[in-house]
Amino acid sequence: MAGRAKLDDAPERLVRAAIGLLAEQGPSAIKARTVASASGLSTMVVYSHFGGIPELMGAVADRGFQELGRAFAQVPVTDDPIADLFAMALSCRRLARENPHLYDLMFGLSTRATYRPLTEADHRLSGHSSAFRDAHAHITAACGRLARSGRVEQQEPEVMAAQLWSMVHGYITLELGAHFVEFEDAVAQVFVPMGVNFAVGLGDERTRAEASHQTGARLYDSVVAGH
């Protein structure tokens, strides 16, 4: 029975081991034997449960999006959707900084060529996975609240969410690549003004957008303090 329990939790152990290796050593450490060793399992278990490293890394990316979704869910829904969105943006930035290589994997960045690719027929983009969609739904819902608030010009929440998603991840990617080292506080000097400009571009009043971003930063701080 103990052996069966050990094998039953093998997928979870393999995923956690891979996430840990990404955080500690980077993508070069992701090999069947190193993941198996880190999880206390045999290399054959990797293949029997996932088929290979590409499939395992798909599960790891999904786990990253599940964590992102949980972080978004921890941000309370307020009467200020722009504040809510900025708090979620800061939550995403925090997770990316905690494990940049996992973030790269989730969004197909520097690790995209590191792992042996799936065949074209089996290839599943992480952006189409249910884990991604569940996380992204929090952004779309907040954009829907913003669209109904009357603060911005009417447009589809899905379109607004895609634009915001692109802006936020563009900033995070560049920050992780040390492109903002010349700024004393890149969040205050780059991220916040960019978010304000985005809101104004959608039709919001600048002073109100600035206040919402300040509120969002406080909201994020309260979420972090509570965990």
Side-chain angles (χ1 to χ4, degrees), residues 143-159:
C143 286
R145 297 195 298 274
L146 178 58
R148 295 189 297 273
S149 71
R151 291 179 59 174
V152 300
E153 297 176 4
Q154 284 297 314
Q155 64 175 287
E156 291 296 322
E158 293 79 7
V159 174

Side-chain angles (χ1 to χ4, degrees), residues 26-218:
S28 62
I30 304 300
K31 301 178 178 64
R33 63 178 172 77
T34 53
V35 174
S37 176
S39 60
L41 298 167
S42 70
T43 302
M44 185 56 64
V45 176
V46 176
Y47 297 102
S48 63
H49 281 282
F50 290 101
I53 289 297
E55 294 86 354
L56 170 60
M57 300 318 290
V60 169
D62 281 349
R63 178 59 55 85
F65 282 119
Q66 289 165 4
E67 292 297 327
L68 183 60
R70 279 190 280 271
F72 288 163
Q74 289 170 358
V75 176
V77 175
T78 73
D79 59 0
D80 188 337
I82 290 180
D84 298 351
L85 285 164
F86 188 57
M88 284 189 275
L90 290 172
S91 297
C92 185
R93 174 181 177 265
R94 172 175 53 82
L95 290 182
R97 288 165 62 87
E98 288 174 354
N99 195 336
H101 291 298
L102 175 59
Y103 174 83
D104 284 353
L105 175 68
M106 291 161 61
F107 291 95
L109 302 174
S110 65
T111 58
R112 94 174 66 200
T114 302
Y115 312 105
R116 293 188 304 278
L118 294 168
T119 64
E120 190 66 29
D122 294 332
H123 187 53
R124 177 191 53 76
L125 296 175
S126 60
H128 292 176
S129 75
S130 60
F132 166 81
R133 291 196 301 269
D134 289 346
H136 194 259
H138 293 279
I139 304 295
T140 305
C143 286
R145 297 195 298 274
L146 178 58
R148 295 189 297 273
S149 71
R151 291 179 59 174
V152 300
E153 297 176 4
Q154 284 297 314
Q155 64 175 287
E156 291 296 322
E158 293 79 7
V159 174
M160 200 185 309
Q163 295 170 354
L164 179 63
W165 195 249
S166 301
M167 181 192 74
V168 168
H169 293 293
Y171 171 86
I172 293 173
T173 300
L174 290 173
E175 186 183 43
L176 290 178
H179 287 271
F180 302 135
V181 293
E182 69 272 22
F183 294 99
E184 184 176 344
D185 184 346
V187 170
Q189 294 172 272
V190 180
F191 203 21
V192 170
M194 183 169 60
V196 170
N197 289 338
F198 179 78
V200 171
L202 290 174
D204 199 20
E205 297 178 0
R206 181 167 294 276
T207 55
R208 193 171 185 183
E210 290 172 344
S212 289
H213 279 74
Q214 293 173 2
T215 300
R218 291 192 296 269

Side-chain angles (χ1 to χ4, degrees), residues 3-27:
R4 169 58 59 186
K6 183 176 181 179
L7 289 178
D8 286 345
D9 69 356
E12 173 68 16
R13 290 165 61 181
L14 291 167
V15 167
R16 288 187 177 277
I19 290 173
L21 287 168
L22 282 174
E24 296 165 10
Q25 301 179 39

